[in-house]
C-alpha cells in the first residue's frame, strides 16, 4: 500500500477517445481569416469534413460568398479586413452573438512581398507587418480573452519556412513570420493554465496563388525550393488543412507552443 499525502492524488484514468472522436471537430466553431481562397479555404474544407462549423473572413464579399457556397451549410462569412485593428473586437463579438463561442481561431490571412532588402521602404515593411503580425496579435487577443474566460480554446498561426532560414528578398515577410513563432511560445506559456493551446503550422512550398506569384517569374527559386525538398514535389493546400484539423482536435490535446513544419521535408533537406 503506497502512502499518499493529501496533495498526492493518484492519476485519474483518462477518458479514452475512439480515433473518430479524437480527431473529430464535430460541433466546434472555427474562425479562419483569409478563408476565401488558397490555404485558408482548404483548412475550412478539411475542418468541415471533420464536422466543424466554419466562419471565414476576408475583404472580398464575392469570393467569400462563393467559398461558403462550396463549403456548404455549416459555413458562414463575415467581410473584414484584418488590418483594421479597431474592427476586430467587434468582429469577434458579432460572430459569437450570431453563432456562439469560437472554439478555434486560425490566423491564416497573410501577404508576401518579394524585393531586395535595400529596396524595401518603411511603408512596404509596415504593410507586411500590419497584416502578418499586428493583426494576428490583435485578433488573437480578442479571441483568447473569451477562450480564457471559458477555459477552453485553441489557436493556430500560419508561419512559413521564411521563419526558419534565410530566404533572400523576403525580409519583411520573414520578420513577420519569425515574430509569429515567438508569439506562439509566449502565448502557449501564458494561456496553458487556462486550457488554451497555441501552435503554428509552418507550410513549405504549397501550390497557391501566393506561391505561383512568387515562383512563376523566378524558375531558379522554384528549382532551389524543389531540390531541397526530399519529397521532390510541392505541397497541396489540403496538406495544411489536415495538419490544422489534427492540431485543432483533441488528438493534439498535449501539444502546445510548437511550430509544425508541413513541408515534404524541406526544412531538413540537404
Ligand atoms: P493566398 O494569397 O492564396 O491567400 C491569402 C488569403 O489572405 C487570401 O484569402 C486573402 O484575401 C487574405 N488576406 C490578405 N490580406 C488580408 C486582409 N488584410 N484581411 C483579410 N484577409 C486578407 O495565399 P496562401 O498561400 O493561401 O497563404 C495563406 C497563408 O499561408 C499566409 O499566411 C501565408 O503567408 C502562408 N504561407 C503560404 C505558403 C505557400 O507556399 N503558399 C508558404 C508558407 C506560408
Amino acid at each position: 500500500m503506497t502512502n499518499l499525502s493529501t496533495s498526492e492524488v493518484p492519476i485519474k484514468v483518462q477518458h479514452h477517445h475512439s480515433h473518430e472522436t479524437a480527431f473529430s471537430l464535430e460541433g466546434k466553431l472555427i474562425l479562419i481569416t483569409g478563408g476565401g481562397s488558397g490555404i485558408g479555404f482548404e483548412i475550412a474544407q478539411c475542418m468541415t469534413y471533420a464536422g466543424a462549423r466554419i466562419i471565414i473572413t476576408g475583404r472580398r464579399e464575392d469570393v467569400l460568398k462563393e467559398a461558403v457556397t462550396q463549403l456548404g451549410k455549416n459555413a458562414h462569412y463575415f467581410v473584414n479586413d484584418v488590418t483594421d485593428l479597431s474592427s476586430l473586437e467587434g468582429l469577434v463579438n458579432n460572430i459569437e452573438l450570431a453563432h456562439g463561442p469560437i472554439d478555434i481561431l486560425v490566423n491564416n490571412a497573410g501577404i508576401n512581398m518579394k524585393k531586395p532588402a535595400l529596396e524595401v521602404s518603411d511603408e512596404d515593411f509596415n504593410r507586411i507587418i500590419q497584416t502578418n503580425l499586428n493583426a494576428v496579435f490583435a485578433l488573437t487577443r480578442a479571441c483568447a480573452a473569451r477562450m480564457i474566460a471559458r477555459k477552453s480554446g485553441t489557436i493556430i498561426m500560419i508561419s512559413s519556412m521564411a521563419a526558419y532560414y534565410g530566404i533572400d528578398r523576403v525580409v519583411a515577410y520573414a520578420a513577420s513570420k519569425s515574430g509569429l513563432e515567438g508569439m506562439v511560445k509566449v502565448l502557449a506559456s501564458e494561456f496553458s493554465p487556462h486550457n488554451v493551446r497555441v501552435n503554428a503550422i509552418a507550410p513549405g512550398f504549397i501550390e497557391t496563388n501566393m506561391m505561383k506569384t512568387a515562383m512563376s517569374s523566378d524558375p531558379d527559386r522554384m528549382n532551389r525550393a524543389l531540390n531541397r525538398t526530399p519529397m521532390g514535389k510541392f505541397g497541396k493546400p489540403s496538406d495544411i488543412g489536415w495538419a490544422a484539423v489534427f492540431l485543432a482536435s483533441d488528438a493534439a490535446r498535449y501539444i502546445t507552443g510548437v511550430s509544425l513544419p508541413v513541408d515534404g521535408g524541406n526544412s531538413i533537406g540537404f
Side-chain angles (χ1 to χ4, degrees):
M1 169 92 187
T2 341
N3 279 329
L4 292 173
S5 76
T6 46
S7 60
E8 285 171 339
V9 289
I11 295 168
K12 268 197 289 184
V13 175
Q14 295 278 324
H15 168 72
H16 285 288
H17 286 291
S18 73
H19 95 272
E20 285 94 349
T21 58
F23 290 92
S24 167
L25 299 178
E26 198 69 46
K28 302 276 190 204
L29 184 67
I30 325 262
L31 170 57
I32 305 172
T33 62
S37 66
I39 289 173
F41 177 77
E42 285 296 329
I43 293 174
Q45 184 80 269
C46 292
M47 287 185 162
T48 303
Y49 295 146
R53 295 176 297 131
I54 306 287
I55 307 293
I56 56 174
T57 70
R59 293 159 299 179
R60 299 161 297 174
E61 183 155 21
D62 53 334
V63 173
L64 294 169
K65 212 173 231 169
E66 172 58 29
V68 159
T69 306
Q70 286 187 46
L71 291 168
K73 64 174 178 16
N74 282 332
H76 297 89
Y77 71 83
F78 282 70
V79 178
N80 177 262
D81 182 337
V82 285
T83 63
D84 181 4
L85 303 188
S86 63
S87 74
L88 298 176
E89 282 282 352
L91 172 73
V92 172
N93 197 39
N94 289 340
I95 291 171
E96 295 208 340
L97 279 176
H99 299 280
I102 297 167
D103 297 295
I104 294 146
L105 165 66
V106 183
N107 285 299
N108 163 78
I111 53 173
N112 197 354
M113 180 189 54
K114 209 173 78 188
K115 262 190 194 180
L118 297 187
E119 292 172 20
V120 174
S121 68
D122 291 339
E123 200 183 13
D124 288 336
F125 197 88
N126 278 333
R127 193 170 54 87
I128 304 294
I129 297 292
Q130 182 74 0
T131 305
N132 294 5
L133 194 56
N134 295 343
V136 170
F137 178 64
L139 183 60
T140 297
R141 187 183 51 205
C143 288
R146 292 155 183 265
M147 291 175 176
I148 285 170
R150 296 189 288 259
K151 295 271 178 222
S152 167
T154 295
I155 298 163
I156 297 174
M157 317 288 189
I158 306 295
S159 180
S160 167
M161 287 299 117
Y164 284 24
Y165 39 63
I167 304 177
D168 58 292
R169 287 168 289 159
V170 290
V171 66
Y173 184 77
S176 72
K177 296 299 187 179
S178 302
L180 285 186
E181 297 266 339
M183 206 191 287
V184 163
K185 293 174 195 148
V186 174
L187 297 183
S189 295
E190 285 196 26
F191 298 170
S192 282
H194 308 287
N195 196 33
V196 174
R197 298 185 296 111
V198 187
N199 292 295
I201 293 173
F205 295 88
I206 309 296
E207 286 171 350
T208 64
N209 286 338
M210 181 189 282
M211 193 198 66
K212 284 179 199 142
T213 313
M215 295 290 194
S216 59
S217 55
D218 198 343
D220 285 350
R221 200 181 189 82
M222 194 170 91
N223 290 329
R224 271 176 71 182
L226 266 185
N227 287 339
R228 66 171 294 166
T229 303
M231 285 192 180
K233 60 184 179 189
F234 293 127
K236 305 270 181 236
S238 58
D239 295 329
I240 308 304
W242 291 119
V245 168
F246 165 63
L247 279 181
S249 74
D250 274 358
R253 67 189 172 190
Y254 198 54
I255 300 178
T256 196
V258 308
S259 176
L260 176 68
V262 180
D263 67 345
N266 181 272
S267 55
I268 50 81
F270 179 64

